Amino acid sequence: MIDITKIRKDFPILNREVNGKPLVYFDNAATSQTPQQVIDVIVDYYSSYNANIHRGVHALSQEATDKYEQARITIQKHFNIAKSHEVIFTSGTTHSINMVANGFGAFLSAGDEIIVSALEHHSNIVPWQMLCERTGAVLKVIPMNLEGELVIDTYKELLSNKTKLVFCNHVSNALGTVNPVEIIIKEAHKVGAAVLIDGAQAAPHIKADMQALDVDFYTVSAHKVCGPTGAGMLYGKEEWLKKLPPYQGGGEMIAEVTFEKTTYANLPHKFEAGTPNICGGIAFAAALDYMNAIGFKDIATYEEELLEYATEKLLTIDGLKIYGTSTNKTAVISFNIEGLHPYDIGSILDKLGIAVRTGHHCAQPIMDFYKIPGTVRASFSFYNTKEEIDVMVAGVERARNMLM
Amino acid sequence: MTIDKIQEEIIDEFSMFDDWMQRYEYMIDLGKSLPLIEEEFKTNDYIIKGCQSKVWVHAKLQEDKLVFTADSDAIITKGIIAILIRAFSNQKPQDIIDANTNFIDEIGLKEHLSPTRANGLVSMIKQIKLYAVAYQTQLK
């Protein structure tokens, strides 16, 4: 059982008011809030040991390097990764995905196939389209059904020896559907294809085990797990990371440089050119520590309770429809009210101090599938409460009355 | 009536509202009463980018004055358009070009709108001014 009163005290932002009303923050799928424990780590870094890493002989540089490498090990343990050099620090999921998409061109030729899911964040579709344009590979899409779940039978039919890479999110950002990544990975491996799973939306709710999943690449953004923006990770199996060409050239990623030839540094440095977000990496690990201290099992149980409560309450509102009705989803509710634009509802909720996301959630193909301009999305975190859900439900009712 | 006079009128009307709720209710009413754009103009050619909701604006010259019609799929956005049309429609292109738009701040719209929508509002004004510039050239 989680102690919600104690947890809420950890998040200073939850005390603030918006438009004269206490903030109700239900935009956690966009970014999570930061607990004081993580803020302290950030402040401590800049107040006590800010230095460039891996190159200075002086004490501060050594201290910063130790903390940064310790952070890598914390992340490694959290995701049950076999080797610490399989953890590549990145600026976040988009950076991680582009790293793989960019390097993977080396393994593709015209006619090869890449499979992506219909539930993707559309910005995540772009790197694969660019890769296909560059290599002549063909992009195939795993379709979705009305519940917002991937159609796995069709996926199996799409797979062939032409398939070189499968890309799919672990959890859909727009609908909250938890995708059956275990099956997706297993089936892809049967035809020899590599799999990249975008774990951005899963990481705050599910502690993914890289070795159990046997996934080839996995991406996470720190700011979705109570960490800072601009930090994240790319997990890659050693065998893949060794083969994958480096993404950027620069300092830190080289072993030897002459004008004739450069040899690349070993993993993970081959993919970490230039001065990284040192503080961000350290705070990322601190955020995982914070969440682990509460416990992912308890977090999942509590969020499930919030999801059930909110679903039940929202459905009492006349004309309200929920999109994404899979039985296996995280605490995300995407909804509309018949005859009303999600934007109008969101605008009124904002006036009431309630932060939700409105629009297509960067998942335009999903909105096209449902033939809607967008949805109102409320996404919950372990620091939210049922009382806050009551405030939102009353707000949605009020918006409905004003707009109808 | 001049654009300045109309804007003063709008500012007066909004000053009577005590809180955001009344302001929004008024905008929603305005939105509901907005004369719709003809269906043939609800195409991508007339759409304004920078709005989370869809906005279409069409302009045509009637004698020496520019007449705007517009629509949106979101009602509050429609209310904002209704205010803009009231201020700028049926005016000479040169007057629209010269008009200042400070009244938006004064009626608390810009301040109360989210950044995405504030951008939409800016885009709408820009589009209205662009039409005016285009027709002004035509008049010459």
Side-chain angles (χ1 to χ4, degrees):
Chain A
M1 267 278 280
I2 72 171
D3 183 349
I4 187 70
T5 320
K6 183 168 168 280
I7 286 171
R8 285 184 70 83
K9 282 189 188 139
D10 291 339
F11 292 83
I13 207 167
L14 298 179
N15 293 321
R16 70 160 284 181
E17 291 193 343
V18 169
N19 291 321
K21 305 271 184 341
L23 167 68
V24 172
Y25 186 77
F26 286 161
D27 196 18
N28 294 289
T31 202
S32 54
Q33 294 304 342
T34 319
Q36 192 60 49
Q37 289 85 336
V38 175
I39 297 170
D40 287 346
V41 167
I42 295 168
V43 172
D44 184 43
Y45 171 81
Y46 283 109
S47 346
S48 323
Y49 59 95
N50 175 32
N52 211 332
I53 54 167
H54 294 140
R55 47 198 93 176
V57 290
H58 60 84
L60 279 194
S61 173
Q62 198 51 55
E63 203 176 323
T65 305
D66 288 348
K67 289 263 170 60
Y68 193 60
E69 290 309 318
Q70 189 51 50
R72 197 189 303 275
I73 288 163
T74 302
I75 294 164
Q76 177 201 355
K77 285 187 179 147
H78 177 82
F79 292 102
N80 191 27
I81 291 167
K83 294 162 183 159
S84 67
H85 61 248
E86 291 174 323
V87 177
I88 311 293
F89 278 117
T90 66
S91 68
T93 296
T94 300
H95 183 203
S96 307
I97 291 170
N98 275 284
M99 236 176 207
V100 178
N102 190 69
F104 214 83
F107 315 125
L108 292 177
S109 41
D112 283 344
E113 292 175 359
I114 295 172
I115 297 178
V116 299
S117 90
L119 286 171
E120 293 320 305
H121 193 286
H122 60 216
S123 71
N124 284 355
I125 300 169
V126 181
W128 310 111
Q129 283 172 332
M130 285 164 67
L131 179 59
C132 286
E133 268 172 37
R134 225 171 66 224
T135 58
V138 183
L139 201 65
K140 302 263 172 169
V141 181
I142 315 170
M144 60 184 274
N145 62 21
L146 273 174
E147 282 72 42
E149 295 164 332
L150 294 176
V151 184
I152 294 303
D153 285 344
T154 313
Y155 166 62
K156 288 181 186 167
E157 286 163 19
L158 288 174
L159 285 166
S160 74
N161 56 7
K162 285 187 197 161
T163 314
K164 294 293 176 275
L165 185 87
V166 176
F167 172 70
C168 173
N169 53 31
H170 196 161
V171 169
S172 154
N173 72 309
L175 307 176
T177 314
V178 181
N179 291 316
V181 290
E182 296 82 359
I183 301 172
I184 289 169
I185 296 163
K186 219 168 156 187
E187 292 297 321
H189 284 169
K190 280 186 192 166
V191 298
V195 182
L196 164 58
I197 300 291
D198 171 4
Q201 294 294 334
H205 314 286
I206 300 164
K207 193 168 172 173
D209 181 325
M210 295 301 109
Q211 294 186 75
L213 281 178
D214 191 30
V215 66
D216 303 288
F217 301 101
Y218 195 91
T219 66
V220 175
S221 289
H223 74 97
K224 308 269 196 206
V225 288
C226 302
T229 54
M233 80 146 191
L234 167 68
Y235 159 75
K237 273 186 191 161
E238 184 182 42
E239 50 179 293
W240 274 111
L241 292 177
K242 275 187 174 164
K243 283 190 280 190
L244 200 72
Y247 180 55
Q248 285 176 312
E252 190 81 38
M253 54 80 74
I254 58 244
E256 259 182 288
V257 179
T258 65
F259 280 106
E260 285 71 39
K261 191 178 162 55
T262 294
T263 43
Y264 301 126
N266 289 331
L267 293 173
H269 307 295
K270 174 182 157 188
F271 292 102
E272 295 181 352
T275 299
N277 183 355
I278 303 164
C279 175
I282 295 167
F284 179 12
L288 291 178
D289 281 342
Y290 175 81
M291 289 187 73
N292 277 311
I294 295 168
F296 273 77
K297 222 173 162 185
D298 285 353
I299 286 174
T301 310
Y302 182 68
E303 286 178 350
E304 178 74 38
E305 220 176 281
L306 291 180
L307 176 66
E308 261 175 46
Y309 183 77
T311 305
E312 195 182 302
K313 288 269 167 168
L314 280 172
L315 284 175
T316 61
I317 297 173
D318 212 19
L320 189 138
K321 187 174 177 201
I322 292 176
Y323 296 88
T325 46
S326 173
T327 49
N328 194 8
K329 64 182 242 181
T330 55
V332 170
I333 301 180
S334 239
F335 66 91
N336 273 337
I337 293 176
E338 211 185 331
L340 299 183
H341 197 284
Y343 190 53
D344 288 327
I345 300 168
S347 303
I348 291 172
L349 291 182
D350 173 56
K351 301 304 295 181
L352 296 166
I354 305 158
V356 292
R357 173 90 187 263
T358 63
H360 50 56
H361 319 297
C362 304
Q364 217 141 19
I366 300 177
M367 301 305 138
D368 292 346
F369 176 81
Y370 288 121
K371 297 188 174 62
I372 49 175
T375 65
V376 180
R377 183 189 68 187
S379 48
F380 311 116
S381 180
F382 59 89
Y383 44 72
N384 289 131
T385 64
K386 286 185 183 169
E387 290 72 32
E388 288 180 307
I389 290 169
D390 290 338
V391 171
M392 176 186 70
V393 173
V396 174
E397 263 169 16
R398 190 166 174 187
R400 188 183 172 279
N401 292 338
M402 281 177 80
L403 293 163
M404 276 292 180
Chain B
M1 215 188 301
T2 64
I3 296 180
D4 277 352
K5 261 259 162 319
I6 297 170
Q7 294 192 357
E8 269 172 41
E9 247 184 38
I10 296 172
I11 293 168
D12 274 353
E13 279 171 27
F14 270 81
S15 69
M16 293 185 299
F17 301 132
D18 298 328
D19 59 12
W20 71 270
M21 181 100 173
Q22 291 177 348
R23 216 183 282 253
Y24 267 54
E25 272 168 352
Y26 182 62
M27 283 199 295
I28 290 163
D29 284 344
L30 285 177
K32 285 176 181 166
S33 64
L34 183 72
L36 298 180
I37 198 169
E38 284 155 64
E39 276 305 312
E40 58 178 303
F41 299 123
K42 276 170 86 166
T43 64
N44 277 341
D45 289 345
Y46 297 95
I47 214 158
I48 295 179
K49 296 208 167 99
C51 303
Q52 241 199 66
S53 45
K54 284 186 181 154
V55 176
W56 301 269
V57 177
H58 175 255
K60 71 175 174 203
L61 206 56
Q62 272 180 1
E63 292 172 12
D64 60 343
K65 285 176 177 167
L66 209 47
V67 176
F68 292 102
T69 50
D71 200 0
S72 170
D73 54 353
I75 195 85
I76 296 172
T77 315
K78 255 169 111 168
I80 296 168
I81 304 171
I83 294 165
L84 293 180
I85 285 189
R86 184 166 150 206
F88 296 110
S89 190
N90 244 325
Q91 299 288 343
K92 290 180 179 161
Q94 191 58 51
D95 293 342
I96 298 172
I97 295 167
D98 296 339
N100 101 23
T101 53
N102 294 344
F103 82 108
I104 299 284
D105 282 338
E106 288 191 45
I107 61 176
L109 268 191
K110 209 172 172 184
E111 170 204 323
H112 282 276
L113 298 174
S114 68
T116 10
R117 190 163 38 173
N119 288 336
L121 186 59
V122 171
S123 308
M124 279 186 234
I125 294 169
K126 202 170 141 197
Q127 190 62 35
I128 285 170
K129 292 237 177 192
L130 279 175
Y131 271 124
V133 171
Y135 280 102
Q136 181 61 28
T137 330
Q138 202 177 310
L139 277 177
K140 279 176 183 167

